[in-house]
Amino acid sequence: MSNLYSTHLSSRKTQEIQAVELLVALNTLASRQVSVTFLGERMTLDVVALIALHDKYGVALADTLAFAKALVDHGLENTSLDIVQAIKAQKSANEFDSGSQIKATDVVLYGFGRIGRILARLLMSRPASESGLQLKAIVVRPAGEGDLAKRASLLERDSVHGWFNGSVQVDTTNNGIIVNGRFIKVIYASDPSEVDYTAHDINDAIVIDNTGKWKDEAGLGKHLASKGVKKVLLTAPAKGEIKNIVYGVNHDTIGSDTIVSAASCTTNAITPTLKVLHDEYGIVHGHMETIHAFTNDQNLVDNHHKADRRGRAAPLNMVMTSTGAASAVSKAIPELKGKLSGNAIRVPTPNVSLAILNLNFEKSVGDTKAINALIQSKAQSEQWQAQIDYSDSPEAVSTDFVGSEKVAIFDAKATIATDNRATLYVWYDNEMGYSTQVIRVAEEMAK
């Protein structure tokens, strides 16, 4: 074997040994309720994936391994940190203090469609714990024989996101699903008023309503009238005075609110980037166009639909429709009220969408290189690393971002900027990226 091949092989073997040791350290930290992220990304417990993550960001595996071991030796418990940010800031493990154990909060998923199932996957992929968000039940409409098995199968198998990385079993005796060894009760009801959660040992729960059936205080308030419910989180834009929350931008305004909205997938995708740009350059006005994957509220074939154009076959057409995402941004960034317009085009792809931002600024952005550099630096900052990702590949297409837990992926190669104007392109997995934001809002509501 030549020296070149030997050198690369030896280097890879070293990385694999380090990755295995890192897995041990991460598992130890997880058992102590320490959440460790990598520039905002979850550190998957897989050797090849861990090495790839380090290669992606150009971080030495030996450095993260040494820091993780130091955290273990330090006895850190009940806290969270980003290991790359800690290394960049040249912090030592001893500078991190243990926190008090987070209390357990019961969670109920009201509805089990696209977002509901992804929320279940994310929640049940976490290490088993008696603290934090605890998925206790799923509420769905009454159905016929075999429904439980179908629900479990839809959770386990997904045409977009693939097989669930875990075990899913049906418990017909107790009318529930066992996911990664944990029991989830399946409750059948047509209305929140029919459910007494305390009868299922569920108390002070956060109900995450992903049906979209109710969007105002009167409708969502039905959940609060159910025994065992303390707070409600809507996975759609809310009407009236209910706050639309985009985590990372205005989650600090939740306070003691008992009903909150996590806004829409598109609002979550564009708001962090708009916040960064407005803070830097000052947005005068602009237009947002989202090229959006088709959704379940469209028809597969031409048929009657209460909304304009959505009755035409989704897999065969580009369908122009409206979006409230642009106006909803102002609920998270009040300074942008009345400054943005928006429209949407549904296209024949099942997932991953693209927001196009045409913006005019108070200050000059300089050129494309300058505005790209700004977004890249923000994407790697501790403040925005969980929300914004940065892509500079000339070959990037929509399927590359399926499964991305970042709510927005900035496409640097598509940027057009000059003087006080810019056209920017932001990809987003409108299912997975949005769901991660929903969970963050739920955690904030649970304190």
Side-chain angles (χ1 to χ4, degrees):
M1 187 180 291
S2 70
N3 289 337
L4 180 61
Y5 285 108
S6 297
T7 299
H8 282 279
L9 181 61
S10 176
S11 176
R12 180 66 181 192
K13 287 181 176 179
T14 299
Q15 283 185 309
E16 290 175 353
I17 293 170
Q18 291 172 337
V20 170
E21 292 184 57
L22 181 56
L23 287 179
V24 174
L26 291 174
N27 274 308
T28 301
L29 291 169
S31 69
R32 298 177 184 173
Q33 306 308 311
V34 178
S35 174
V36 180
T37 56
F38 191 104
L39 287 175
E41 293 193 33
R42 287 191 300 165
M43 298 183 74
T44 178
L45 301 182
D46 175 87
V47 168
V48 174
L50 271 180
I51 295 173
L53 186 62
H54 284 76
D55 289 344
K56 175 183 176 181
Y57 290 105
V59 177
L61 212 159
D63 292 342
T64 54
L65 173 59
F67 202 89
K69 284 183 172 180
L71 292 172
V72 172
D73 293 341
H74 180 47
L76 196 65
E77 295 180 328
N78 302 312
T79 190
S80 61
L81 61 95
D82 192 276
I83 197 163
V84 179
Q85 294 292 358
I87 293 170
K88 283 169 60 177
Q90 297 184 326
K91 290 186 176 181
S92 70
N94 293 335
E95 293 180 60
F96 291 90
D97 297 324
S98 294
S100 56
Q101 186 171 0
I102 301 169
K103 69 182 183 69
T105 300
D106 292 348
V107 173
V108 174
L109 296 178
Y110 200 96
F112 204 49
R114 297 300 303 157
I115 299 301
R117 292 195 295 274
I118 292 172
L119 290 172
R121 281 186 169 210
L122 289 170
L123 288 169
M124 302 311 284
S125 293
R126 298 178 170 190
S129 168
E130 295 180 356
S131 64
L133 300 181
Q134 303 288 320
L135 179 54
K136 291 292 189 69
I138 296 161
V139 183
V140 293
R141 291 190 297 268
E145 185 179 351
D147 179 75
L148 201 60
K150 287 182 181 294
R151 301 284 180 185
S153 180
L154 283 169
L155 177 62
E156 187 176 34
R157 300 169 170 86
D158 192 277
S159 299
V160 172
H161 299 284
W163 277 82
F164 173 61
N165 188 23
S167 63
V168 179
Q169 298 171 300
V170 175
D171 185 345
T172 53
T173 303
N174 298 296
N175 206 69
I177 304 172
I178 300 172
V179 182
N180 286 347
R182 288 168 281 176
F183 179 75
I184 305 171
K185 181 72 176 179
V186 177
I187 302 170
Y188 294 100
S190 300
D191 190 84
S193 61
E194 300 175 11
V195 187
D196 175 1
Y197 294 103
T198 60
H200 305 289
D201 197 26
I202 298 171
N203 298 280
D204 296 329
I206 294 177
V207 171
I208 302 179
D209 187 323
N210 54 89
T211 65
K213 185 176 182 180
W214 304 283
K215 296 182 180 180
D216 58 13
E217 197 161 350
L220 294 169
K222 292 181 178 183
H223 292 297
L224 294 176
S226 299
K227 290 183 179 179
V229 177
K230 188 175 183 179
K231 296 184 178 182
V232 182
L233 174 57
L234 172 65
T235 62
K239 297 179 179 179
E241 298 303 312
I242 297 173
K243 291 175 184 173
N244 283 265
I245 301 298
V246 175
Y247 193 90
V249 179
N250 68 331
H251 63 275
D252 57 343
T253 67
I254 294 175
S256 59
D257 289 35
T258 55
I259 303 177
V260 163
S261 160
S264 71
C265 57
T266 304
T267 303
N268 273 268
I270 64 177
T271 302
T273 303
L274 288 170
K275 173 66 173 170
V276 166
L277 294 169
H278 183 64
D279 287 348
E280 186 72 17
Y281 304 117
I283 295 173
V284 178
H285 53 75
H287 177 79
M288 183 278 300
E289 195 79 27
T290 177
I291 312 302
H292 201 290
F294 64 75
T295 64
N296 196 45
D297 75 327
Q298 294 174 254
N299 289 338
L300 286 175
V301 296
D302 288 0
N303 209 341
H304 177 269
H305 196 293
K306 64 180 181 180
D308 294 341
R309 310 195 203 217
R310 294 194 188 188
R312 303 300 299 278
L316 299 176
N317 294 288
M318 292 190 292
V319 180
M320 292 189 68
T321 186
S322 61
T323 176
S327 58
V329 167
S330 64
K331 289 194 173 185
I333 312 175
E335 312 94 271
L336 295 184
K337 185 175 183 179
K339 294 185 176 182
L340 297 173
S341 59
N343 239 332
I345 304 171
R346 299 284 180 89
V347 295
T349 54
N351 186 38
V352 180
S353 302
L354 176 66
I356 306 171
L357 305 174
N358 288 296
L359 304 171
N360 294 289
F361 302 103
E362 295 172 2
K363 302 176 184 177
S364 173
V365 300
D367 56 16
T368 296
K369 185 177 180 180
I371 199 169
N372 280 351
L374 170 71
I375 300 298
Q376 184 176 30
S377 67
K378 295 298 182 181
Q380 294 177 2
S381 70
E382 195 162 8
Q383 180 181 2
W384 295 111
Q385 63 183 8
Q387 280 75 39
I388 303 174
D389 204 355
Y390 183 88
S391 170
D392 63 356
S393 170
E395 300 296 335
V397 294
S398 61
T399 54
D400 295 339
F401 307 115
V402 172
S404 174
E405 295 182 16
K406 300 293 182 77
V407 73
I409 304 101
F410 182 81
D411 194 321
K413 292 298 184 186
T415 302
I416 304 169
T418 181
D419 298 329
N420 293 60
R421 299 183 61 187
T423 302
L424 310 166
Y425 295 76
V426 179
W427 298 97
Y428 57 108
D429 183 321
N430 45 277
E431 297 180 336
M432 184 66 72
Y434 176 64
S435 294
T436 60
Q437 287 284 88
V438 172
I439 288 178
R440 291 176 184 127
V441 175
E443 288 175 329
E444 185 69 19
M445 294 177 74
K447 303 299 179 185

